[in-house]
Amino acid sequence: MDRSTAGWLNGFMGVLIFSGSLPATRVAVMDFDPVFLTVARAVIAGIIGLLLLVLLKQKRPAGREIVSLLVVAGGVVVGFPLLTALALQHVTSAHSIVFIGLLPLATATFGVIRGGERPKPAFWFFSILGSVLVAGFAATRDLNASPVGDLLMLAAVIVCGLGYAEGGRLSRTIGGWQVICWALVLSLPLMIVVTFALMPPSFANIGMPAFVSLGYVSLFSMLIGFVFWYRGLSQGGIAAVGQLQLLQPFFGLALAATLLHEKVTWSMLAVTVAVILCVAGARRFAR
């Protein structure tokens, strides 16, 4: 198997795992405070990441790598989980998933800035067109109902794109699973302090679905998914493999409808399909 094909397969596995993140977060914030959920998931994943690094005797990152790891941590360990958890108090997971259509553009943009990639002009045409469709959907349909939720999701996409691109770039030198593990470990001291500060006095009123969702976003969304995702970005290219994120709305909407019984409207499906077609065109010109 060549490196590019391996990158696409690893990227697909990462996207498949990430697709359950927003529905699981939606369930978790019904019982957990969104800030506590953010730090608790980082602590659980961080402890596992620390154990992996110690047991497998990984070399400590250099000073320049630590700066990049802090960028990764700010984007995907803290920023995206916190902003989406806050957003999901205002919007449904089905609605928020549509915003994931902006992630390929954000990731590709930061891939150019931080990764040195140079997609062809046609790539940007298709990517921007897809982004306009997503933004237009939010502005014309649900923005009046919850501008706060939509703005939080937009901010989440931006910081996540930066974290993805920075992690993909760094994976070329220190490895995919090492990037997310070190980012989690660097965040761990602060996350532990905040977790204990925000811990609810009792867990008696927390339902089992919320605990299961916490487990999913901690183990899969925060750690295992990134092992595949960062490896895929480093193997197949940040801008190119980043387009696989357009499959995430399909998987996420299906989960939201099946597990949470949320209403998935025809307009949501239409804009998701339209964006995916646009970015499919962009993928052709990613290199």
Side-chain angles (χ1 to χ4, degrees):
M1 183 184 300
D2 62 69
R3 185 175 176 82
S4 178
T5 302
W8 282 97
L9 289 176
N10 281 311
F12 177 80
M13 287 300 300
V15 166
L16 192 60
I17 292 170
F18 291 151
S19 297
S21 299
L22 291 178
T25 300
R26 175 68 172 173
V27 173
V29 296
M30 292 179 181
D31 289 344
F32 287 116
D33 174 80
V35 180
F36 173 77
L37 175 67
T38 300
V39 294
R41 67 189 278 185
V43 167
I44 295 170
I47 291 173
I48 298 172
L50 178 60
L51 291 174
L52 287 172
L53 291 169
V54 171
L55 291 174
L56 297 176
K57 299 179 181 180
Q58 295 299 299
K59 182 178 70 174
R60 293 182 180 180
R64 200 182 320 171
E65 293 169 340
I66 290 177
V67 174
S68 291
L69 287 168
L70 289 173
V71 173
V72 174
V76 303
V77 176
V78 180
F80 184 75
L82 177 59
L83 291 168
T84 53
L86 292 171
L88 287 165
Q89 292 188 312
H90 303 277
V91 298
T92 66
S93 63
H95 176 73
S96 66
I97 286 167
V98 178
F99 281 82
I100 302 302
L102 293 169
L103 259 177
L105 178 60
T107 303
T109 300
F110 286 114
V112 169
I113 297 171
R114 297 295 301 155
E117 297 188 356
R118 295 293 181 268
K120 296 176 182 178
F123 170 88
W124 298 110
F125 170 78
F126 284 110
S127 292
I128 292 171
L129 179 59
S131 300
V132 168
L133 288 172
V134 173
F137 171 80
T140 58
R141 183 169 181 80
D142 291 328
L143 190 58
N144 291 331
S146 182
V148 173
D150 286 337
L151 289 173
L152 286 168
M153 282 303 305
L154 285 172
V157 164
I158 292 171
V159 299
C160 188
L162 174 59
Y164 280 173
E166 192 70 18
R169 184 186 69 83
L170 195 56
S171 295
R172 298 168 185 166
T173 56
I174 69 173
W177 72 268
Q178 292 92 334
V179 167
I180 189 58
C181 285
W182 280 118
L184 287 165
V185 168
L186 288 174
S187 309
L188 194 55
L190 177 60
M191 296 296 101
I192 290 175
V193 171
V194 180
T195 296
F196 278 104
L198 298 179
M199 186 176 294
S202 172
F203 290 94
N205 295 325
I206 307 296
M208 184 55 65
F211 280 117
V212 172
S213 296
L214 173 60
Y216 184 90
V217 296
S218 302
L219 183 59
F220 290 93
S221 304
M222 197 86 268
L223 183 58
I224 296 176
F226 279 104
V227 173
F228 290 102
W229 183 240
Y230 280 146
R231 185 184 300 166
L233 291 178
S234 67
Q235 292 173 328
I238 296 169
V241 175
Q243 305 311 305
L244 281 170
Q245 294 166 105
L246 265 295
L247 295 175
Q248 192 167 330
F250 274 131
F251 297 138
L253 288 171
L255 286 171
T258 303
L259 300 179
L260 305 182
H261 306 292
E262 292 183 356
K263 184 179 180 181
V264 178
T265 65
W266 284 109
S267 59
M268 286 181 183
L269 291 174
V271 74
T272 301
V273 171
V275 171
I276 288 176
L277 289 175
C278 287
V279 182
R283 180 176 65 84
R284 231 182 124 182
F285 301 99
R287 287 185 171 183

